[in-house]
Amino acid sequence: FMIRLTQTEMQMAQALAKQRNDGKAQYRKEPGANLNQHLMGLKGEIALARVLDLPIDIIKKPMGDQGVDFTYKGNTLDVKTVEHKFPKLFSNENKVRADIFILAHTKNEWVTFVGWITKQEFIRKHRFLIGKHGKPWYVTPDDLFPLTMLL
C-alpha cells in the first residue's frame, strides 16, 4: 500500500539525508548521487516507521546502520527503497543481516510498500545481478509477501 509523506516528514528526510551524507564515506561518484541515495532510503524508513508506529532513527549513523533499520515484534528489519519503475529488492551477500527485508518504492513524497521477505527466503530465492560489482543478490516483487501480512 501507499503512504504520502507529510511536508514535515519530507523536511526531516532531507535534513537527515544531509546529515548522513556529511557523516559517511561517499560511494557514488556523480554529484548529489549520495545525497539522493540517503534521501530515498530515509523516505522508506520514515514511511515504515509511521505504518508500524516505530520511533524514527534520528541518530546520526556515520558508519551506516549495520544492515538494520528497526526492530519490530522481535525481528530486525531492513528497508530497501528504490525509485526504479521495475523495483527489485537488492542486497550484497555480506549485508544480508536483518531478519526481514522490506521493499519500498518512492516517487516524490509517495512511498509504496511492494512487500517483504524473510532472510531465510531471501537466501533461498535470490538471483545474482550479473555485471554489477560484487554480483549483488536480488529478488523480485513476485517473491515478496504483502506488508499487511507483517502488521
Side-chain angles (χ1 to χ4, degrees):
F1 55 95
M2 213 182 227
I3 293 284
R4 186 179 191 174
L5 295 175
T6 64
Q7 200 176 350
T8 309
E9 288 169 330
M10 285 296 288
Q11 285 165 345
M12 183 192 300
Q14 282 151 353
L16 286 171
K18 188 177 178 337
Q19 195 181 66
R20 285 189 189 178
N21 195 53
D22 294 346
K24 198 170 180 182
Q26 304 302 306
Y27 53 96
R28 298 284 292 262
K29 291 178 180 62
E30 318 87 80
N34 291 287
L35 188 62
N36 189 52
Q37 288 289 113
H38 288 299
L39 181 59
M40 202 163 57
L42 279 153
K43 290 197 290 188
E45 285 177 44
I46 289 168
L48 189 71
R50 191 203 309 163
V51 172
L52 301 182
D53 198 21
L54 295 168
I56 290 164
D57 171 24
I58 48 174
I59 302 141
K60 193 170 176 185
K61 300 187 273 194
M63 297 315 295
D65 56 21
Q66 270 62 60
V68 170
D69 295 317
F70 299 105
T71 303
Y72 178 69
K73 294 184 178 175
N75 289 307
T76 53
L77 308 180
D78 188 2
V79 189
K80 301 288 186 190
T81 310
V82 298
E83 287 176 330
H84 197 281
K85 66 178 175 198
F86 302 113
K88 291 183 177 78
L89 197 155
F90 285 102
S91 185
N92 288 335
E93 184 178 352
N94 63 344
K95 291 197 173 153
V96 180
R97 300 194 188 114
D99 300 320
I100 292 171
F101 291 84
I102 297 168
L103 178 60
H105 178 269
T106 183
K107 190 171 163 105
N108 305 321
E109 74 274 28
W110 293 95
V111 177
T112 305
F113 290 103
V114 182
W116 62 277
I117 192 168
T118 63
K119 179 191 201 164
Q120 292 81 354
E121 286 290 289
F122 192 9
I123 291 168
R124 200 169 68 79
K125 293 183 172 178
H126 77 271
R127 279 154 277 184
F128 296 99
L129 191 69
I130 308 302
K132 279 274 192 194
H133 177 69
K135 289 194 194 129
W137 289 11
Y138 75 92
V139 290
T140 62
D142 298 343
D143 298 316
L144 306 177
F145 293 106
L147 195 66
T148 47
M149 289 177 66
L150 190 63
L151 304 179

